[in-house]
Amino acid sequence: MNTSTQLIPTTLPLQDRSLLRDACYINGQWVKANSGAMQSIHNPATHELVGRVPICGEIETRDAIQSAHLAMQEWSAGTAAERAKVLRRWYELMLENMNDLAVILTSEQGKPIIEARSEVKYGASFIEWFGEEAKRMYGDVIPTHMKDRRLIVLRQPVGVVAAITPWNFPIAMITRKCAPALAAGCSMVCKPSPETPLSALALAELAHRAGVPPGVFNVVTGDAIKIGGEMTRNELVRKLSFTGSTRTGVLLATQCAATLKKVSLELGGNAPFIVFDDADIDAAIAGAIISKFRNSGQTCVCTNRFLVQAGIHDTFVEKLSHAVVKLKVGNGMLEDTIQGPLINQHAVEKVEAHIADALKQGARIITGGKRHSLGGTYFEPTVIKDVTSAMRMAREETFGPVAPIFKFSTEAEALQMANATEFGLAAYVYTKDMGRAWRVTEQIETGMVGINVGLISTEIAPFGGIKMSGIGREGSKYGLDDYTELKYMCMGLS
Ligand code: NAP
């Protein structure tokens, strides 16, 4: 192994420069790629070089898996309280270093620094929560069916976990996986997105300082196909946890089938945001802004479609447009920025293509609609009305700062439109009628529903989707299930 402890020179305003790493973290060591190949990471706001990370492949991934396999034996044999103590320290270190983690995150991802700090807190909350949950990983005693038998169910760690994560939440998407995994007694090898690997490496540095034993948590950066190929082929890996697009999720699940790995998939969405005539319109506008424009529209639970009832439609369009023009677009490092740049040119092109398709078919722009005068990957926060189910933005995730507004007349029609998608992650409903809130919640085909709220994510509730939005749940008391296996013991008393 090619090891390294060298720090890269940086202009980032960091208190602790040793959080910015240029090597992978394998078996407790900072490691370069065997080939020596490196990839540069650029700030999407300024295009400046932020850092460099190794381009690893199968060999380094195999090393990481092997070390995770060996490390897990001792880690899982310890008590839950011992693991909780280490996780608690990791959580505290994340909060102590919140500002530096947020600076690294914003520099490679672009989101406003305020949102980055929130993500660090949100990400850390999973480590705290699952450290505590580890102590409640109960088994069961089943009333016996025979006088001389006793039936017991144990919950045991599933084994080495491979995690592949996206760029939109570079910290939280990792901690949602590693916290339950490590709490349950598993070890993990994580491949972060090539857009945002520096946040993952900073997390690894803090894991090291917290006393996570070598091999228990590993980060391998580099070639997705090679790393993902080894992760899904290797028999020592017993579970894959993936967050990203549906297309990649389906591919990885298929690759895992040959070795029958357990799979958790957190995939794409197409969230409807339904506003009924009886809604508190100002609350709906506030919810719409947070649910649509957080992270410049690049969250999986982002509203993708606003479905607004005819009686309130025109007022909603007007009020939403007034709120949207006030969103300050700029470099995420500035404290007053509300909306940063999109992650890359490909993302901008997708947003443009969706808008062009909608306009061609009769939709009308109320505000925004084009690249921002700041240039680069900045895009104007956009409201577009007269959108119909024939348009691309009705079916596909736009993943950008575009609020398309559809009109409906009846509750039945709203439900039919909301469910007319292959995705089923999140939905939002604004109404004062509690009977309707229950009816719609029960009939809507999503894993999560916000009633009169636009922000629903928390470590204490189960996060996940149905249909093509995924398999499994992250966070909450249910979040440990995906990282454990049940073992049934039948004891004869003779
Ligand atoms: P993506 O293109 O699917 O990539 C996600 C991760 O998978 C990246 O690390 C990527 O690395 C890797 N990857 C891609 N192809 C691979 C392969 N063949 N083998 C192994 N790894 C591979 O998704 P994204 O654009 O980064 O993320 C945005 C998507 O994630 C959206 O659809 C969003 O809705 C979804 N998301 C879902 C949730 C949720 O909880 N449901 C949360 C956040 C985001 P490379 O970039 O190197 O290919």
Side-chain angles (χ1 to χ4, degrees), residues 164-169 173 176 191-195 222 224-225 228 242-248 251-252 255 266-269 300 397 399 425 463 469:
I164 300 181
T165 55
W167 49 264
N168 62 345
F169 288 90
M173 296 305 101
R176 284 207 313 206
K191 186 207 94 67
S193 166
E195 255 90 11
I225 310 277
F242 171 76
T243 297
S245 64
T246 296
R247 185 185 55 78
T248 308
L251 178 75
L252 290 169
Q255 286 176 209
E266 296 287 350
L267 309 177
C300 54
E397 232 181 351
F399 234 54
L425 191 58
F463 189 106
S469 288

Side-chain angles (χ1 to χ4, degrees), residues 196-212:
T196 56
L198 300 170
S199 296
L201 296 173
L203 262 186
E205 168 64 25
L206 295 179
H208 187 89
R209 293 182 198 174
V212 174

Side-chain angles (χ1 to χ4, degrees), residues 50-69:
V50 183
R52 291 175 309 131
V53 297
I55 304 178
C56 294
E58 286 104 343
I59 296 172
E60 299 86 346
T61 309
R62 209 170 301 142
D63 287 344
I65 293 169
Q66 182 64 29
S67 73
H69 172 66

Side-chain angles (χ1 to χ4, degrees), residues 243-390:
T243 297
S245 64
T246 296
R247 185 185 55 78
T248 308
V250 169
L251 178 75
L252 290 169
T254 309
Q255 286 176 209
C256 284
T259 45
L260 283 185
K261 297 186 200 319
K262 243 182 146 148
V263 172
S264 291
L265 303 172
E266 296 287 350
L267 309 177
N270 182 2
F273 187 108
I274 310 175
V275 189
F276 286 99
D277 282 346
D278 67 359
D280 174 337
I281 188 139
D282 292 324
I285 297 298
I289 292 290
I290 188 125
S291 124
K292 175 70 256 185
F293 292 96
R294 193 164 58 106
N295 202 7
S296 302
Q298 303 171 115
T299 82
C300 54
V301 287
C302 255
T303 293
N304 204 50
R305 299 169 291 156
F306 285 95
L307 313 182
V308 185
Q309 201 160 14
I312 206 173
H313 175 272
D314 292 355
T315 315
F316 183 85
V317 171
E318 192 191 330
K319 287 199 170 208
L320 183 62
S321 309
H322 281 153
V324 166
V325 289
K326 290 191 198 134
L327 298 175
K328 186 159 185 315
V329 179
N331 185 333
M333 290 302 290
L334 303 173
E335 289 285 341
D336 61 347
T337 292
I338 302 293
Q339 190 168 285
L342 299 191
I343 189 72
N344 54 32
Q345 284 299 336
H346 178 68
V348 177
E349 283 159 19
K350 185 174 184 194
V351 169
E352 284 181 323
H354 277 204
I355 292 175
D357 169 76
L359 294 181
K360 205 169 92 192
Q361 299 192 61
R364 282 185 289 162
I365 285 173
I366 305 302
T367 184
K370 57 183 191 309
R371 290 175 187 238
H372 196 277
S373 55
L374 284 171
T377 57
Y378 289 102
F379 203 88
E380 293 177 346
T382 298
V383 176
I384 181 164
K385 71 171 191 173
D386 299 338
V387 183
T388 69
S389 58

